[in-house]
Amino acid sequence: MTGRTTQPPVEPDPHSGRERRAVRLRRAAKLTSVVLPVCLIGWLSWQAVANSTRDVTSHPAVSPHYAEGDRVDADGPSDAAAPAGSPSAGAPAPSPSASAAGAANLPLAGRTVLLDPGHNTGNAKHTADINRKVDIGNSRKECDTTGTSTDAGYSEAEYTLDVVHRARQILQDRGATVVLTQDGDRPWGPCIDERARIGNEAKADAAVSIHADGAPASGSGFHVIMPAKVAAGPADTSAIVDPSHRLGVLLRDTFKAQTGEPTSTYIGQQGLDTRSDLGGLNLSKVPKVFIECGNMRNTGDAGRMSDPEWRQRAAQAVADALTSYLTG
């Protein structure tokens, strides 16, 4: 028989299972050290793209736009961080459509309008000043007068300044530069020759003098006064007669349509009158008309002119007529 060497029995190694687990953990750690950074880089890249997409879709660029009726600051929008003379940082250039919209909303941009509120509430306290005569070309006439009032005491001077303030706002909202002959900031006047001179020096594109009449109570309605041809001394209206007539017709038609006030029953023809004795017209070098908005001595006219809502319609009519004249 072949002989054998007998080996003693081998005891199980109590550490062999623990070692295998350690090896597996080391392998897993190596795998994690490679896979996790790759996954992290991919996730961060996805987030960057997603955030960029949200920024674009949630915050679209808005072109500057001024809605009709908004008032634009004379200096325009500003950006302290933008260099002088350059567009605001980050602001897109206006598109042609935005520029067209701006032009439509500001049809009177670059235009100058003179509004002349007739008389002054302080004139009655300065009779010596307003009674002195001034040269109106073809004659001499009082510097100014006190104006009239309703039977209830609402003065022409108060009425004219209120309507002028309302019309000024509308015209400024349309882009016009509006010059006033007085803004309730003078103790009296100004004289009629100075009123004309203010418009001339401003090189106004058009001028309207706002008044209310003090005729007999039986007469009612409004009328527009246009300059006659006068060439005498400092007066020469030859260049403004025709454009003033066009402005006058537009104002007559617009005022009648928007206020409901009928044309005068006691003066003029179909709401139009031509005069050569008004210094504010004779001395004007720019197209100019007067409007007598109604007869303050007539009960119906006085009631309408005392109503703020009606005065707003009157102001709207003046502004709309000037806009039609300057853009037509």
Side-chain angles (χ1 to χ4, degrees), residues 159 163 208 210-211 221-224 247-263 271 291-294 304-305 310-321:
Y159 168 82
V163 172
V208 175
I210 308 294
H211 287 264
F222 80 97
H223 64 283
V224 176
L247 173 59
V249 171
L250 281 170
L251 182 54
R252 186 268 314 268
D253 293 346
T254 307
F255 197 86
K256 182 179 180 180
Q258 294 188 200
T259 66
E261 181 75 1
T263 56
I291 181 168
E292 298 279 2
C293 298
R304 285 185 285 275
M305 285 186 281
W310 189 90
R311 293 199 298 273
Q312 184 64 35
R313 293 199 296 274
Q316 187 75 50
V318 170
D320 287 352

Side-chain angles (χ1 to χ4, degrees), residues 19-128:
E19 182 63 27
R20 285 194 296 273
R21 286 195 299 273
V23 169
R24 286 197 296 270
L25 288 173
R26 283 195 296 273
R27 288 175 180 172
K30 288 180 182 179
L31 182 61
T32 303
S33 67
V34 173
V35 172
L36 280 181
V38 172
C39 293
L40 180 61
I41 291 171
W43 182 81
L44 290 174
S45 300
W46 177 83
Q47 282 292 97
V49 172
N51 288 339
S52 175
T53 303
R54 280 197 298 271
D55 287 344
V56 171
T57 56
S58 300
H59 307 286
V62 180
S63 298
H65 175 72
Y66 303 109
E68 188 170 8
D70 293 342
R71 184 172 179 175
V72 183
D73 213 13
D75 294 328
S78 63
D79 188 336
S86 68
S88 297
S95 65
S97 59
S99 299
N105 290 332
L106 298 174
L108 299 182
R111 297 290 196 158
T112 299
V113 174
L114 176 84
L115 294 179
D116 176 26
H119 312 290
N120 187 314
T121 56
N123 278 359
K125 298 178 181 178
H126 296 269
T127 54

Side-chain angles (χ1 to χ4, degrees), residues 229-299:
K229 187 170 183 178
V230 175
D236 185 357
T237 62
S238 56
I240 69 165
V241 167
D242 288 343
S244 296
H245 184 269
R246 184 168 76 85
L247 173 59
V249 171
L250 281 170
L251 182 54
R252 186 268 314 268
D253 293 346
T254 307
F255 197 86
K256 182 179 180 180
Q258 294 188 200
T259 66
E261 181 75 1
T263 56
S264 175
T265 62
Y266 61 93
I267 194 170
Q269 296 293 323
Q270 297 182 328
L272 297 176
D273 192 24
T274 300
R275 290 175 62 172
S276 62
D277 63 330
L278 297 176
L281 295 181
N282 285 7
L283 300 174
S284 181
K285 305 299 181 187
V286 303
K288 186 175 183 179
V289 299
F290 281 40
I291 181 168
E292 298 279 2
C293 298
N295 179 13
M296 282 192 146
R297 293 300 184 183
N298 177 272
T299 301

